[in-house]
Amino acid sequence: MDYNEKTLKTEDIYKGNIIKVQNLTVSLPNGKEATRDIVLHPGAAVVVPINEKGELYMVKQFRKPLDMTTLSCQRVNLIQLRKTQNYAQKGS
């Protein structure tokens, strides 16, 4: 059975500095229609610095969605990472 959903309609719900939210109307394999809320993000990578002893460095940050402070690895925006890599390659 084919489980793919064909996009019939796309509506932009929100466009912010980092994310974009879309509402999609899709056709299901059984012929019925459904909606999907999609969050588009440029992507990110995680930088995990490790010292000579094998210890990880983590960042203590307040996370509003959780409403608490957590420990996490430092995130790097993929767009900035690509720009940095391109700049580094041109400089060498």
Side-chain angles (χ1 to χ4, degrees):
M1 179 177 207
D2 181 16
Y3 291 102
N4 291 327
E5 298 178 352
K6 181 180 178 187
T7 302
L8 303 175
K9 179 180 153 191
T10 302
E11 180 184 358
D12 289 337
I13 302 297
Y14 171 79
K15 184 173 181 179
N17 293 325
I18 298 175
I19 67 164
K20 181 174 165 180
V21 179
Q22 293 181 329
N23 180 268
L24 306 181
T25 302
V26 298
S27 174
L28 301 175
N30 64 6
K32 293 184 179 183
E33 290 185 7
T35 58
R36 303 284 183 251
D37 293 329
I38 307 293
V39 177
L40 301 172
H41 186 280
V46 175
V47 175
V48 183
I50 302 174
N51 67 17
E52 311 80 41
K53 297 178 186 176
E55 299 168 327
L56 300 177
Y57 290 95
M58 300 187 80
V59 179
K60 191 175 191 178
Q61 287 182 305
F62 178 79
R63 299 288 185 179
K64 185 56 184 167
L66 300 173
D67 235 359
M68 63 186 287
T69 300
T70 65
L71 287 174
S72 61
C73 294
Q74 184 60 44
R75 158 193 84 71
V76 178
N77 181 303
L78 285 181
I79 293 171
Q80 281 304 117
L81 183 62
R82 287 185 192 115
K83 287 179 184 176
T84 303
Q85 288 172 336
N86 288 339
Y87 179 78
Q89 288 172 355
K90 289 177 185 176
S92 55

